[in-house]
Amino acid sequence: MRAFRRASRILRAAFALLLVLAISGCKRASLPDASSPAAQLYVNRCGNCHVPYPPHEMTAAMWDTQVTMMETKMQAAGMRPLSSDERESILEYLKRNAGTE
Ligand code: HEC
């Protein structure tokens, strides 16, 4: 009985570890340069109402429009607006990794 309990504890720990690895693996796969400061800023400022959209899903021109639209949503939600530096690095990051159509 004791051996069974120990085995199930180990199994549970292994499962939890796998789950964490799977989740962090997915996040990393979906965003380019995920550990760069710009990507992290993007996740922090643009990932709290919805998951951060992968940059390749829109073209550079679409990102221009999208960020402006999202600034309106942030304002409506009473969130701190993007500073011009934040806006610039988020847009630069999105455009650098944007799709082409
Ligand atoms: C205050 C909450 C909020 C924040 C913060 C926010 N968004 Fe959104 N976003 C939304 C909502 C709500 C939608 C759903 C579509 C709509 O209502 O226009 C959306 C939709 C989107 C879409 C999908 C649009 C489409 O046509 O499929 C993109 C891309 C997007 N947001 C990008 C961003 C970016 C980039 C930022 C950071 C600058 C950001 N969002 C920050 C609320 C937010």
Side-chain angles (χ1 to χ4, degrees), residues 13-30:
F15 183 70
L17 186 69
L18 264 179
L19 199 69
V20 168
L21 285 178
I23 292 171
S24 54
C26 288
K27 270 199 189 135
R28 219 172 298 134
S30 61

Side-chain angles (χ1 to χ4, degrees), residues 52-97:
Y53 287 80
H56 69 82
E57 281 188 8
M58 305 226 160
T59 64
M62 285 159 84
W63 279 122
D64 265 329
T65 317
Q66 201 65 49
V67 169
T68 306
M69 274 162 47
M70 290 300 141
E71 284 181 304
T72 320
K73 292 206 185 294
M74 290 169 125
Q75 197 182 11
M79 287 172 66
R80 181 171 65 81
L82 297 178
S83 70
S84 54
D85 277 358
E86 285 175 331
R87 189 182 208 284
E88 204 175 304
S89 32
I90 289 173
L91 260 183
E92 194 275 330
Y93 169 76
L94 290 170
K95 289 178 169 182
R96 179 155 42 87
N97 297 291

Side-chain angles (χ1 to χ4, degrees), residues 1-9:
M1 198 55 204
R2 201 179 292 154
F4 172 74
R5 229 180 268 139
R6 189 161 14 145
S8 75
R9 208 168 36 209

